[in-house]
Amino acid sequence: MVLSRSRPLLARYDVSPHMVKWWKSQKPDNGQVTRHLSPYEQQAIMPWLRSFPKKTYDKFMGSFMYWGSSAVIVLGTASLSDAADAAQDREHRF
């Protein structure tokens, strides 16, 4: 008599007894894959390859003023300091 109410619950083998109420609204074929794409049909890289040149150009033009101006300042400072050092070396010749 004690297990008379829980015996039908124990009859399900796909769900543990304490989860039967949770899973009773689940349809048996809910989430079943009926059609899938072959790995040769998916083309995971092609959208990226199509948009790559435009994104690269936009990123380059958007940040060119920052790294371009800093590169000009660094290279200009290096060349001016080399020229000043060379002029100072020639000034103190014997």
Side-chain angles (χ1 to χ4, degrees), residues 5-8 13 20 25-28 52-53 56 77 79 81:
R5 291 183 186 249
S6 63
R7 187 170 296 146
Y13 59 89
V20 170
S25 64
Q26 184 76 8
K27 296 175 186 165
F52 176 72
T56 304
T77 304
S79 65
S81 62

Side-chain angles (χ1 to χ4, degrees), residues 65-84:
M65 290 301 295
Y66 298 113
W67 63 265
S69 61
S70 62
V72 167
I73 290 170
V74 167
L75 293 174
T77 304
S79 65
L80 287 175
S81 62
D82 286 342

Side-chain angles (χ1 to χ4, degrees), residues 11-36:
R12 288 193 65 166
Y13 59 89
D14 58 338
V15 177
S16 59
H18 68 283
M19 294 296 288
V20 170
K21 186 173 183 180
W22 177 270
W23 287 106
K24 76 178 175 184
S25 64
Q26 184 76 8
K27 296 175 186 165
D29 61 348
N30 190 7
Q32 180 180 4
V33 176
T34 57
R35 181 182 170 155
H36 68 280

Side-chain angles (χ1 to χ4, degrees), residues 83-93:
D85 184 46
Q88 186 180 14
D89 289 344
R90 285 192 293 278
E91 180 182 314
H92 296 294
R93 286 186 180 172

